[in-house]
Amino acid sequence: MSTTRIKGLLKFDTISADLKIIAQKVLDQIRISEQEGNLLFQKAELPFLGTLANHIREKRHGDTTYFNRNFHIEPTNICIYTCKFCSYVRKPGDEGAWEYSPEDILDKVRAYDGKPITEVHIVGGVHPKRDLHYYGSIIKKIKEIRPDLHVKAFTAVELEFMINKAKLSIEEGLKVLKEYGLDSIPGGGAEIFSPEIREVICDEKASTDNWLTIHETAHKLGIPSNATILYGHSEKYKHRIDHLIRLRELQDKTGGFNTFIPLKYRSQNNSMSGLGEVSSIEDLRNYAISRIMLDNFDHIKAYWPMIGKETTQLSLSYGVDDIDGTIDDSTKIYSMAGGEDQTPQMSTEMLVALVKKVKRKPVERDTVYNVIKEY
Ligand code: V47
Ligand code: SF4
């Protein structure tokens, strides 16, 4: 069916020859080049992109749409850095600054006793006083309370700081954290890899090379991870493509990325607010081009607390096959930046209904995409 749609596109006179070459490559499963990626961003209309991305999505996953039962813990919003897009960061003593004690964090885990949750996602600010043994001991205790819970924790930015503070190499630090019980690494902190933009929006934190090295090292140690992009602010299309190409190259080397998560810049309460936000059409184009370019990533995830439930439903026809999880009102990163939902939480029933409404098949997964239940 989706093959017929692409073949139909190839007959349209209104579609330019260079775009038809890309469509044919998608049909033939040939990798799209950086130059062609740029062309897609500059020239391709949403229906064309959707046809290509949906073909790839359905070839890989059919109608299956993954979600999981997860919650977040954000140990602190105190951070030594001041990224310009961040609405959440505070300095010690500022109004609105928080830091949970290890016991507070463990209580949050205990609150799920007897509930069928499978993943805790732990990310927060880079606190000046906390090193990897502090956080590692918390992970160890979480595992004692809940051995079955997958701990997906700390962006490469947090990892770089806590490992340096403990005076270890990246490899040593990651090994230590793995021994404490770290199961995987979330995709945050990637922002935009191109130094031109990175230096303007987040010049202090982990460099592009360090972000990539941390993920590469993790993959070598058998720790899978995710990858993100922060798009829709000051970057140009060529920066988005550069970002995707760098991730694709690393994935060729390691195969350790589970999923790619485009994160739309939300503009409230931060120092880039004047830039505003891109449209939902741009969100869908971005998902579709990500799906087309990342031929070695199994999954593309729409993070529903950030783009809202309706765009999430639409995204399932633009390359997305994963919608993250239940969340349970446990994250503030997006609500503080103007995300669609001030108290993001969805029951399993709501997630299932959201997916079924757009005629896709909901499948509950664990963090590494083992199927738990088909609905
Ligand atoms: O790195 C911060 C982003 C990220 C804003 O791996 C913002 O499954 C938009 O990485 N507008 C952290 N984005 C969150 C993250 C994540 C989220 C969901 C799932 C996974 C996963 C990872 O949040 C940061 C930054 O890129 N962010 N501020 C903002 N104003
Ligand atoms: Fe700190 Fe992360 Fe916010 Fe940057 S995005 S200021 S590293 S909490």
Side-chain angles (χ1 to χ4, degrees):
M1 177 73 166
S2 62
T3 306
T4 319
R5 283 206 194 112
I6 301 195
K7 285 190 174 154
L9 276 182
L10 293 172
K11 292 188 191 136
F12 274 124
D13 292 341
T14 46
I15 294 176
S16 62
D18 42 13
L19 288 180
K20 282 184 183 168
I21 290 171
I22 298 177
Q24 188 62 51
K25 277 189 163 182
V26 167
L27 267 184
D28 298 339
Q29 297 183 57
I30 296 171
R31 182 166 271 192
I32 306 304
S33 70
E34 179 164 5
Q35 195 191 0
E36 289 166 332
N38 278 308
L39 196 76
L40 287 175
F41 265 125
Q42 284 151 14
K43 274 177 73 168
E45 304 282 353
L46 184 61
F48 176 87
L49 292 170
T51 305
L52 267 49
N54 194 48
H55 171 78
I56 300 168
R57 185 243 200 260
E58 290 186 357
K59 224 171 160 31
R60 278 179 179 270
H61 305 291
D63 283 330
T64 294
T65 300
Y66 295 98
F67 69 92
N68 72 349
R69 297 188 201 227
N70 64 349
F71 68 104
H72 290 224
I73 297 178
E74 294 172 351
T76 183
N77 65 346
I78 293 173
C79 187
I80 55 168
Y81 303 127
T82 316
C83 301
K84 292 202 170 58
F85 52 81
C86 183
S87 314
Y88 152 103
V89 57
R90 296 290 183 275
K91 300 297 169 193
D94 278 358
E95 201 187 326
W98 77 76
E99 187 187 9
Y100 299 127
S101 69
E103 213 34 51
D104 292 337
I105 293 175
L106 298 176
D107 281 345
K108 286 180 185 292
V109 176
R110 288 188 193 104
Y112 290 93
D113 273 357
K115 294 190 184 154
I117 206 98
T118 59
E119 174 192 282
V120 58
H121 177 160
I122 309 176
V123 289
V126 178
H127 193 290
K129 296 205 170 131
R130 307 286 170 239
D131 78 355
L132 100 169
H133 296 294
Y134 173 86
Y135 283 121
S137 323
I138 295 176
I139 294 182
K140 190 167 174 217
K141 288 186 189 134
I142 292 176
K143 287 287 193 179
E144 283 164 13
I145 297 171
R146 197 72 196 253
D148 57 319
L149 197 61
H150 180 110
V151 177
K152 180 175 82 178
F154 311 126
T155 64
V157 174
E158 295 166 89
L159 290 168
E160 178 193 62
F161 180 83
M162 69 174 84
I163 293 173
N164 282 343
K165 195 168 169 67
K167 300 198 170 21
L168 295 174
S169 70
I170 293 301
E171 183 165 344
E172 290 164 343
L174 288 172
K175 273 187 185 156
V176 170
L177 282 169
K178 194 175 178 195
E179 277 159 25
Y180 276 120
L182 178 77
D183 294 304
S184 70
I185 297 177
E191 322 312 358
I192 285 279
F193 290 144
S194 169
E196 237 182 295
I197 302 295
R198 197 172 187 84
E199 279 163 16
V200 177
I201 64 170
C202 56
D203 59 333
E204 308 151 319
K205 72 182 186 188
S207 65
T208 295
D209 285 350
N210 288 358
W211 191 98
L212 292 167
T213 303
I214 289 168
H215 283 257
E216 181 171 356
T217 312
H219 298 170
K220 279 192 193 137
L221 296 172
I223 306 170
S225 71
N226 292 336
T228 57
I229 183 173
L230 178 71
Y231 71 93
H233 44 91
S234 51
E235 87 289 357
K236 303 261 187 300
Y237 288 145
K238 65 176 183 184
H239 301 122
R240 293 193 207 171
I241 287 293
D242 169 75
H243 194 95
L244 297 175
I245 296 286
R246 290 185 203 233
L247 288 173
R248 190 167 78 178
E249 283 170 359
L250 181 51
Q251 182 75 330
D252 276 344
K253 259 166 110 176
T254 68
F257 287 117
N258 275 330
T259 182
F260 178 64
I261 312 148
L263 296 171
K264 174 193 184 124
Y265 165 65
R266 305 304 312 239
S267 67
Q268 278 181 29
N269 307 316
N270 59 61
S271 61
M272 306 194 323
S273 290
L275 293 175
E277 295 179 1
V278 295
S279 67
S280 306
I281 290 177
E282 193 55 33
D283 296 331
L284 297 176
R285 293 183 80 238
N286 194 65
Y287 283 121
I289 295 173
S290 302
R291 181 61 285 171
I292 294 166
M293 295 302 293
L294 294 179
D295 58 354
N296 53 6
F297 275 64
D298 273 344
H299 303 284
I300 304 289
K301 186 196 280 192
Y303 188 52
W304 67 262
M306 179 194 60
I307 50 162
K309 293 169 190 151
E310 284 181 8
T311 309
T312 299
Q313 285 173 312
L314 285 170
S315 75
L316 301 182
S317 297
Y318 293 84
V320 168
D321 63 280
D322 186 301
I323 58 170
D324 204 83
T326 44
I327 311 281
D328 216 12
D329 190 17
S330 52
T331 173
K332 295 206 168 36
I333 300 179
Y334 290 99
S335 45
M336 289 171 83
E340 298 300 310
D341 216 321
Q342 285 304 297
T343 53
Q345 55 187 320
M346 274 208 262
S347 62
T348 309
E349 291 72 25
M350 286 161 84
L351 284 165
V352 166
L354 179 141
V355 173
K356 283 194 170 168
K357 191 102 198 261
V358 287
K359 304 276 182 277
R360 300 286 183 180
K361 182 178 166 43
V363 172
E364 185 187 342
R365 60 162 174 88
D366 67 11
T367 307
V368 292
Y369 292 88
N370 294 307
V371 171
I372 294 181
K373 185 172 173 186
E374 300 187 13
Y375 289 83

